[in-house]
């Protein structure tokens, strides 16, 4: 099979490879921040924006969801990658109707993702009419009328899919889901389905809340912090400040990762100038180089060791949990030989980690995509909660579960009802609020939505942000799915590849970004977001929007609702009133979503407010039994053929998901290119390959194979039989049907592959 050029354009460069860095942050982080911001946004405008990030009267960083300190915001609460995110959205470059007149969809699709993103902010609503080669400008009213007519022509509301990415504000998300449900469907897939869905499912079953249970201040009281399947140096750089403080006061940090990521080795705070010359603060006391997908085996080893040492909180287990005996029995039956083989970690290393855990009176476990996206992601996270439950580390200061979220408001969007499986309580409250009957059948999640579009069950695709084509698995299959729809419509700040793989007709609807001023008829509006630790906070943009034709997400939803819902289906919602004043949307949220009492008043407090959390606040476990559950899962076994490897896909230091800021991955020693595959030296040798050679990667699932061509071989310190490549280039390899049981999340981190000589020249 050959490359589909418009999905994965060739990379002309040969990447440079050098040694990975041993310290994260430092002066290089400052230099890179300023290079990006000055290039995109200009010195004055750009630095002005950086000073407003995460400040009380500024805007919430559009990067990750790591929280801000409640009481001690430093002058500049941003990091290198936050700066890149701000640079990317405050760019002064523009994608205008002229850009589209000069370049056809095919021309644009031939560009790399990096170059498409660098074209700038979208300024006008655009349409690609059936059969057209170029996008053309369209008036907003006409765009809404087009969507409305396609929606009205459907045989059932369930033939439409409404996707959401995680940057959408609480206010826009609440209005959007209300519109979608009044229209008549729960087809509300979101990026969470591909992200922390496994965490939500696992935690709900074991501890009764689907979110994390720690506050930022708990990191100041933890004795031990386990960072498992997460690369904070790149994806949550502000977390390194927290880890640095913890390490400096003697807390033991354990890294569990196939790669010893730079940010977990050592860190120099970019804003502590006096430290720039030093070697940085060592972060992880112990690194456990687990095999890709070997976490359940490793955690089983830790649990077995701890039970053997009687490092068990028997009082907590008796009072608050169930299932401990079954877990202990299953661990007694699990051999060390299996544990060591499947985890790839030696017994001595496991004992060393267990000794640290046994001494800890307060342990926090942090994790991200390294767990959620592996084949047994839900079970792996439940083994993390097993570990926390064993020592009673939940609902106690300095201890708890910390799934580190990705997008800056992905958690808030879920709280607002962006979910294809809404709870009956939520639906009842919403139905009361909007005075209408709402559908209760579950809708499509992301993977189901792709299949539904592919086989014709879904015919209209609407996206509130994101880059569905490039973020989802099986890029070729997803492209076919999108092309089979009657209409694709994207509310976006910037051009991306999803706009270039259209349905029969396509719309691009340009919207305001976080950093833009949001002026409506009653005056300037604020929006709100919820971070990874359930703090709801205000966000206020300051910049002039990229053009007068750009609308806020809230305005787009409200106008679409008025265009697409006949008066009888609009419920009691005053859509024009919601658009005019977001306070009125918040009044509605307050009546529907628990924890938002006095939303408008409390949002105007300096640091926002915490949402209630039964585990954190009162050690209450809202599971069916009222107890926290230990979970038993048979040890998963890898069955690789002799030439096969397990591939994980991950982020470079120069990207935010499908937005490619630059072509370097500084910490891993890669420059000027992205099509690389990291391999263990022994695997390179065993296959007769050489460093720097170009190869194709072939994935295997059931009887099907998929191919991604021309990746450069890079020798790397990674466990044998494991490999790594970047997302989204490697998404063509991820089979749409390969999903995590329980969460239906694509197994982006555990793809069985072989390496073949490169077929392309
Ligand atoms: N700058 C920047 N910030 C971001 C993002 C970004 O793209 N750029 N994305 C945002 C989003 S949406 C998210 S969800 C987060 C993602 O944050 P991360 O989860 O840190 O992102 P990944 O790059 O997918 O890294 C996964 C880590 O898991 C490890 N890993 C892979 N497989 C396994 C395994 O089987 N076991 C274990 N223990 N580890 C494994 C990898 O080596 C890697 O270190 O970051 C958010 N923040
Ligand atoms: N192989 C592989 N695939 C993965 C992953 C992986 O680790 N490996 N990770 C998965 C994860 S964790 C996630 S979260 C998904 C991400 O999936 P998505 O959220 O769908 O993708 P993003 O790249 O974050 O979306 C970027 C686009 O969002 C738009 N945008 C940016 N800001 C705004 C805004 O304020 N409003 C609106 N309306 N639009 C905006 C811009 O047009 C930009 O091009 O990808 C998943 N895909
Ligand atoms: Mo994510």
């Amino acid at each position: 099979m050959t490359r589909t050029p418009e999905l994965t354009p060739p990379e002309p460069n040969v990447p440079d490879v050098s040694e990975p860095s041993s310290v994260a942050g430092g002066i290089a982080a400052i230099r890179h921040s300023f290079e990006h911001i000055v290039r995109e946004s200009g010195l004055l405008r750009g630095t002005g924006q950086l000073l407003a990030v995460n400040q009380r009267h500024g805007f919430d960083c559009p990067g990750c969801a790591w929280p801000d300190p409640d009481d001690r915001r430093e002058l500049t609460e941003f990091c290198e990658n936050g700066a890149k995110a701000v640079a990317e959205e405050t760019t002064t470059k523009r994608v205008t109707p002229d850009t589209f007149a000069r370049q056809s969809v095919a021309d644009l699709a031939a560009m790399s993702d990096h170059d498409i993103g660098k074209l700038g902010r979208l300024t006008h609503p655009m349409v690609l009419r059936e059969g057209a080669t170029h996008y053309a400008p369209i008036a907003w009213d006409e765009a809404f009328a087009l969507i409305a007519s396609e929606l009205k022509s459907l045989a059932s509301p369930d033939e439409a899919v409404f996707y959401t990415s995680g940057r959408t504000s609480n206010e826009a998300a609440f209005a959007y889901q209300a519109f979608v449900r009044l229209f008549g469907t729960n087809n509300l897939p979101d990026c969470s389905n591909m992200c922390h869905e496994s965490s939500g499912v696992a935690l709900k079953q074991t501890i009764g809340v689907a979110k994390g249970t720690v506050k930022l201040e708990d990191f100041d009281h933890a004795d031990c912090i386990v960072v498992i399947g997460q690369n904070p140096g790149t994806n949550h750089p502000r977390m390194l400040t927290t880890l640095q403080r913890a390490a400096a006061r003697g807390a033991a940090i354990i890294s569990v990762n196939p790669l010893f990521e730079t940010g977990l080795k050592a860190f120099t705070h970019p804003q502590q100038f006096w430290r720039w010359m030093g070697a940085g603060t060592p972060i992880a006391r112990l690194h456990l180089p687990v095999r890709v997908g070997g976490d359940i085996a490793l955690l089983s080893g830790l649990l077995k060791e701890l039970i053997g040492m009687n490092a068990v909180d028997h009082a907590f287990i008796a009072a608050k949990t169930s299932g401990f005996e079954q877990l202990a029995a299953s661990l007694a039956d699990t051999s060390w030989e299996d544990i060591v083989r499947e985890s790839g970690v030696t017994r001595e290393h496991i004992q060393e980690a267990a000794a640290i855990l046994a001494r800890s009176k307060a342990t926090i476990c942090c994790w991200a995509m390294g767990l959620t996206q592996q084949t047994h992601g839900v079970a792996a996270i439940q083994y993390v909660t097993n570990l926390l439950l064993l020592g009673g580390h939940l609902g106690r200061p300095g201890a708890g579960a910390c799934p580190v979220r990705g997008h800056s408001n992905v958690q808030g969007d879920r709280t607002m009802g962006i979910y294809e499986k809404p709870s009956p309580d939520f639906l009842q409250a919403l139905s009361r609020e909007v005075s209408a009957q709402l559908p209760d059948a579950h809708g499509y999640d992301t993977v189901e939505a792709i299949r539904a579009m592919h086989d014709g069950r879904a015919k209209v695709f609407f996206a509130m942000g994101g880059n569905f084509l490039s973020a989802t698995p099986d890029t070729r299959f997803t492209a076919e799915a999108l092309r089979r729809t009657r209409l694709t419509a994207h509310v976006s700040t910037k051009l991306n590849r999803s706009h270039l793989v259209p349905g029969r007709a396509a719309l691009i609807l340009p919207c305001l970004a976080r950093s833009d001023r949001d002026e409506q008829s009653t005056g300037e509006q604020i929006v709100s977001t919820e971070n990874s630790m359930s703090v709801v906070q205000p966000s206020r943009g300051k910049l002039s929007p990229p053009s007068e034709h750009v609308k806020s997400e809230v305005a787009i939803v409200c106008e679409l609702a008025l265009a697409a819902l006949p008066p009888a289906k609009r419920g009691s919602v005053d859509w024009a009133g919601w658009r005019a004043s977001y306070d009125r949307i918040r009044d509605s949220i307050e009546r529907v979503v628990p924890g938002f009492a006095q939303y408008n008043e409390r949002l105007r407090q300096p640091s926002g407010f915490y949402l209630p959390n039964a585990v954190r606040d009162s050690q209450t476990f809202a599971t069916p039994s009222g107890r926290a559950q230990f979970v038993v899962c048979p040890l998963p076994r890898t069955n690789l053929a002799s030439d096969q490897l397990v591939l994980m896909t991950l982020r470079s230091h120069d990207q935010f998901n499908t937005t490619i800021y630059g072509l370097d991955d500084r910490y891993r020693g890669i420059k000027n290119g992205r099509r690389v595959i990291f391999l263990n030296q022994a695997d390179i040798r065993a296959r007769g390959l050489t460093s720097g050679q170009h190869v194709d990667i072939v994935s295997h699932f059931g009887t099907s194979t998929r191919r991604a061509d021309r990746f450069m071989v890079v020798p790397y310190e990674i466990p044998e039989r494991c490999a790594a490549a970047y997302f989204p280039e490697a998404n063509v390899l991820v089979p749409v049907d390969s999903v995590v049981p329980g969460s239906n999340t694509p197994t982006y981190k555990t793809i069985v592959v072989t390496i073949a000589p490169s077929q392309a020249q």
Side-chain angles (χ1 to χ4, degrees):
M1 192 188 293
T2 49
R3 166 182 283 150
T4 320
E6 74 278 23
L7 303 181
T8 49
E11 182 172 86
N13 322 325
V14 178
D16 300 331
V17 181
S18 57
E19 281 295 302
S21 324
S22 52
V23 190
I27 192 165
I30 293 269
R31 185 160 56 77
H32 285 270
S33 308
F34 279 93
E35 272 172 20
H36 279 265
I37 202 87
V38 171
R39 189 170 57 228
E40 294 297 324
S41 197
L43 183 63
L44 275 181
R45 187 166 178 274
T47 35
Q49 288 311 299
L50 286 188
L51 293 174
V53 174
N54 294 345
Q55 295 302 308
R56 292 195 176 135
H57 301 288
F59 62 95
D60 181 42
C61 179
C64 76
W66 188 256
D68 313 308
D70 288 341
D71 52 357
R72 52 185 129 88
R73 285 189 194 195
E74 296 176 17
L75 177 63
T76 42
E77 242 329 289
F78 70 90
C79 63
E80 176 187 347
N81 280 344
K84 291 178 194 164
V86 171
E88 203 71 21
E89 87 171 31
T90 62
T91 180
T92 49
K93 297 184 205 128
R94 301 287 176 257
V95 175
T96 62
D98 235 29
T99 322
F100 289 107
R102 273 186 276 113
Q103 295 172 93
S104 67
V105 171
D107 295 337
L108 290 165
M111 294 168 68
S112 70
D113 289 332
H114 172 261
D115 293 348
I116 292 174
K118 294 295 175 205
L119 291 173
R121 288 283 302 275
L122 295 158
T123 59
H124 286 68
M126 303 296 298
V127 65
L128 184 72
R129 302 206 188 267
E130 193 178 347
T133 54
H134 290 65
Y135 271 98
I138 182 172
W140 276 105
D141 284 357
E142 217 192 311
F144 291 132
L146 176 61
I147 303 172
S149 88
E150 287 294 354
L151 290 178
K152 277 176 198 148
S153 74
L154 298 175
S156 139
D158 291 329
E159 290 184 352
V161 167
F162 297 88
Y163 175 70
T164 313
S165 173
R167 266 195 201 167
T168 295
S169 65
N170 281 356
E171 293 73 8
F174 185 80
Y176 180 50
Q177 60 84 36
F179 155 66
V180 170
R181 296 197 158 105
L182 283 165
F183 171 67
T185 181
N186 283 311
N187 284 345
L188 281 159
D190 67 352
C191 67
S192 229
N193 296 143
M194 299 181 269
C195 184
H196 265 293
E197 193 71 62
S198 303
S199 304
V201 170
L203 292 174
K204 186 90 190 142
Q205 285 169 4
T206 55
I207 63 169
V209 294
K211 300 179 181 181
T213 70
V214 294
K215 291 183 173 179
L216 197 52
E217 67 204 37
D218 287 314
F219 285 79
D220 291 335
H221 304 289
D223 293 333
C224 176
I225 300 164
V226 187
V227 181
I228 172 165
Q230 191 208 344
N231 178 17
T234 284
N235 298 314
H236 306 89
R238 284 179 304 121
M239 180 175 170
L240 292 188
T241 316
T242 306
L243 294 180
Q244 182 187 40
R245 208 169 42 236
R249 66 168 177 80
I253 295 168
I254 302 176
S255 147
V256 180
N257 198 310
L259 310 179
F260 196 0
E261 302 281 21
T262 302
L264 288 165
K265 290 181 191 159
F267 173 59
T268 302
H269 195 304
Q271 284 151 261
Q272 293 174 353
F273 306 102
W274 63 93
R275 293 222 169 108
W276 281 358
M277 305 312 287
T281 313
I283 300 291
R285 187 175 299 177
L286 182 64
H287 170 66
L288 304 177
V290 68
R291 296 188 56 241
V292 174
D295 299 273
I296 296 179
L298 172 65
L299 288 158
S300 298
L302 291 171
L303 289 160
K304 190 176 166 83
E305 198 68 50
L306 287 166
I307 293 173
M309 297 159 79
N310 198 24
V312 174
D313 186 338
H314 293 288
F316 173 84
I317 290 175
K320 298 281 182 181
T321 72
S322 64
F324 175 65
E325 275 70 34
Q326 290 88 320
L327 176 69
S330 132
L331 291 167
D333 282 348
T334 310
S335 74
W336 278 109
E337 199 191 341
D338 285 353
I339 288 171
V340 169
R341 189 188 58 249
E342 294 300 328
S343 68
V345 180
T346 61
R347 173 100 195 251
E348 293 68 39
H349 260 132
I350 295 176
Q351 280 169 333
E352 206 183 322
I356 296 174
L357 286 163
R359 279 195 302 273
S360 168
K361 295 200 168 52
T363 298
I364 295 175
C365 289
C366 306
W367 70 89
M369 300 303 103
L371 288 191
T372 66
Q373 298 173 340
Q374 59 171 272
T375 310
H376 301 285
V378 172
I381 293 159
Q382 293 181 326
Y383 269 63
V384 172
T385 54
N386 283 345
L387 189 70
L388 291 169
L389 291 173
L390 190 77
H393 298 294
L394 282 161
R396 149 198 304 181
C402 181
V404 184
R405 304 278 163 178
H407 269 295
S408 50
N409 198 39
V410 61
Q411 189 160 317
D413 290 346
R414 268 292 161 91
T415 308
M416 292 299 112
I418 302 292
Y419 190 27
E420 76 283 355
K421 302 182 189 71
S423 72
D425 287 350
F426 176 85
L427 279 183
Q428 213 175 43
L430 181 64
S431 166
R432 208 178 314 120
E433 176 65 18
V434 301
S435 321
Q437 279 266 316
L438 301 173
D440 54 10
H442 288 177
Y444 300 135
D445 64 16
T446 293
V447 163
E448 289 161 350
I450 298 170
R451 290 204 200 102
M453 290 188 278
H454 202 269
D455 64 25
R457 280 172 294 136
K459 299 185 170 71
V460 171
F461 176 78
F462 185 97
M464 183 56 75
N467 184 355
F468 192 83
L469 172 83
S470 299
T472 53
D474 230 338
T475 319
R476 292 187 191 95
F477 186 86
T478 301
E480 282 170 13
L482 288 170
R483 287 205 171 97
R484 286 177 187 180
T485 62
R486 287 193 209 157
L487 177 72
T488 50
H490 298 272
V491 179
S492 308
T493 51
K494 300 191 77 175
L495 189 67
N496 66 46
R497 198 163 293 282
S498 294
H499 306 137
L500 308 175
V501 178
R504 206 160 68 190
L507 286 166
I508 303 174
L509 307 173
C511 69
L512 296 179
R514 275 290 157 72
S515 44
D516 296 329
R517 196 173 48 246
D518 188 346
E519 199 75 57
Q520 302 297 336
S521 62
T522 62
E524 201 175 308
Q525 304 297 310
I526 57 171
V527 293
S528 48
T529 58
E530 174 186 341
N531 67 31
S532 214
M533 293 178 194
S534 307
V535 179
V536 179
Q537 61 212 344
S539 180
R540 193 182 278 105
K542 291 280 174 220
L543 286 180
S544 305
S547 103
E548 60 186 7
H549 304 287
V550 171
K551 287 182 189 281
S552 76
E553 292 181 336
V554 169
I556 293 172
V557 169
C558 294
E559 290 176 36
L560 177 60
L562 288 169
L565 299 176
K569 281 186 81 179
R570 284 180 199 157
S572 54
V573 178
D574 173 7
W575 294 99
W578 275 14
R579 184 189 52 193
S581 164
Y582 302 177
D583 278 0
R584 299 186 56 185
I585 306 180
R586 285 185 284 267
D587 288 339
S588 267
I589 294 173
E590 178 174 334
R591 289 187 289 266
V592 173
V593 189
F596 284 84
Q598 301 169 302
Y599 192 178
N600 277 307
E601 291 91 294
R602 287 197 295 161
L603 193 60
R604 281 149 174 113
Q605 287 165 6
S607 297
F609 59 92
Y610 277 94
L611 292 176
N613 183 306
V615 175
R616 188 191 65 208
D617 303 340
S618 61
Q619 229 180 36
T620 312
F621 299 99
T623 58
S625 66
R627 288 170 163 263
Q629 297 289 323
F630 282 96
V631 171
V632 177
C633 153
L635 209 65
R637 287 170 201 275
T638 22
N639 285 314
L640 294 176
S642 64
D643 58 342
Q644 289 176 336
L645 306 161
V646 186
L647 175 84
M648 54 179 174
T649 58
L650 26 80
R651 293 153 171 81
S652 84
H653 195 60
D654 257 2
Q655 71 182 88
F656 192 96
N657 300 340
T658 68
T659 299
I660 312 300
Y661 300 141
L663 300 178
D664 301 345
D665 192 3
R666 191 168 84 243
Y667 294 156
R668 300 198 185 104
I670 303 296
K671 269 206 160 136
N672 198 30
R674 296 179 45 86
R675 291 183 85 86
V676 294
I677 177 164
F678 298 98
L679 291 171
N680 184 292
Q681 198 53 271
D683 290 312
I684 296 180
R685 239 178 289 124
R687 284 162 186 72
L689 303 170
T690 53
S691 161
Q693 177 182 353
H694 281 89
V695 294
D696 292 354
I697 313 174
V698 180
S699 69
H700 305 263
F701 183 73
T703 54
S704 65
T705 59
R706 290 163 179 76
R707 194 176 192 106
D709 54 7
R710 274 190 77 74
F711 280 71
M712 195 179 95
V713 171
V714 175
Y716 205 79
E717 212 172 304
I718 181 170
E720 283 180 41
R721 311 294 298 278
C722 298
Y726 296 129
F727 144 56
E729 286 79 355
N731 286 37
V732 287
L733 296 167
V734 188
V736 70
D737 292 327
S738 177
V739 291
V740 179
S743 64
N744 223 27
T745 294
T747 59
Y748 295 121
K749 294 289 187 275
T750 40
I751 309 156
V752 174
V753 299
T754 49
I755 309 291
S758 182
Q759 283 179 356
Q761 41 356 55

